[in-house]
Amino acid sequence: SSEVSLTRLLKGFRLIRLLKLFRLVKLAKYMNALEDQTGISPHTFDLIKLTVEVVFIGHMIACLWWYYSTHVSEESWWDSHIEAKEELYDTLGMTYPEPGLSEKYLTVLYWTITTLSTVGYGDISPSNTPERVMSIFIMIIGASVFGYIVANVSTLMSSLNEASARVSEKVSEVSEYLYERQCPDELSPAIVKHLKHLFSLESS
């Protein structure tokens, strides 16, 4: 039993190698250069970047959860999941096909996203104590990620509202000026339309 425990401990230490992936922080510099080159609105680019960050975090945690379940724990949640599927197919008189790599990945990613988003449907759950401990750790990360998403989306929406308010105020001032100067009716709408486009570009 001591040899088995030591083997599990050594496998657990291998997970520390994943810390090397923190070097990907350097990607922030490339993201800034990409934003300058594409010319996309900063608010839209921030929203896209936030989505990519969430998907990347979900992917990394899904890989960690799969490795931990298949290499550290004995009877993993995946074994229970397959047994339930096989029993369901047996009742229908069918044979459950061997799941491929894509099905395995989508299943573990599905569990990770539902956990990170604090939804947790409960159709896939840990089967032993080590997996429950790891699930608690992932849930803590999920709460932090969920708070990070809400805070960033709120900031982006508030920035968009402020930009829209500034544009509306400037357009209103220009419209009043054109009215006072008795600008021709055929010319005023074209000026206002052009200024709306110009102000929107400046605010973004």
Side-chain angles (χ1 to χ4, degrees):
S1 59
S2 60
E3 292 179 357
V4 173
S5 300
L6 181 60
T7 302
R8 292 180 182 175
L9 184 61
L10 291 176
K11 290 181 178 179
F13 283 144
R14 291 178 183 175
L15 297 177
I16 301 177
R17 296 180 181 177
L18 294 176
L19 295 176
K20 295 181 180 179
L21 294 175
F22 282 109
R23 296 177 181 175
L24 294 176
V25 175
K26 295 181 180 178
L27 284 176
K29 298 180 180 178
Y30 299 103
M31 295 296 289
N32 293 332
L34 181 63
E35 180 180 356
D36 296 336
Q37 294 176 0
T38 55
I40 301 176
S41 170
H43 301 299
T44 305
F45 192 84
D46 289 341
L47 186 59
I48 295 174
K49 186 168 63 174
L50 177 63
T51 304
V52 172
E53 289 176 357
V54 172
V55 172
F56 177 74
I57 292 173
H59 168 75
M60 294 306 302
I61 293 180
C63 294
L64 175 64
W65 174 248
W66 177 261
Y67 180 87
Y68 187 83
S69 301
T70 55
H71 291 79
V72 178
S73 58
E74 294 180 354
E75 296 182 0
S76 66
W77 63 271
W78 177 254
D79 297 329
S80 303
H81 178 71
I82 293 299
E83 290 177 1
K85 289 287 187 180
E86 290 176 348
E87 291 178 0
L88 177 61
Y89 272 70
D90 287 340
T91 57
L92 299 175
M94 301 171 61
T95 303
Y96 182 67
E98 183 68 22
L101 182 61
S102 60
E103 182 178 352
K104 294 178 181 179
Y105 176 74
L106 289 176
T107 302
V108 70
L109 184 63
Y110 159 79
W111 179 88
T112 304
I113 295 299
T114 55
T115 302
L116 292 179
S117 60
T118 67
V119 175
Y121 293 112
D123 52 346
I124 298 177
S125 58
S127 301
N128 49 59
T129 300
E131 288 183 357
R132 294 186 184 95
V133 173
M134 179 59 71
S135 297
I136 294 173
F137 175 71
I138 295 176
M139 289 175 189
I140 294 174
I141 296 177
S144 303
V145 171
F146 185 75
Y148 172 77
I149 295 172
V150 171
N152 279 272
V153 170
S154 300
T155 302
L156 288 174
M157 294 305 298
S158 117
S159 299
L160 288 174
N161 292 334
E162 291 177 1
S164 299
R166 287 196 300 268
V167 170
S168 299
E169 183 179 356
K170 291 180 180 180
V171 169
S172 177
E173 292 176 356
V174 171
S175 299
E176 291 178 0
Y177 177 80
L178 294 175
Y179 177 77
E180 291 176 358
R181 294 296 179 178
Q182 298 181 351
C183 184
D185 296 337
E186 298 81 7
L187 184 59
S188 296
I191 295 175
V192 171
K193 182 179 179 180
H194 173 73
L195 289 177
K196 282 183 179 180
H197 177 69
L198 182 62
F199 291 152
S200 64
L201 291 178
E202 291 179 353
S203 60
S204 62

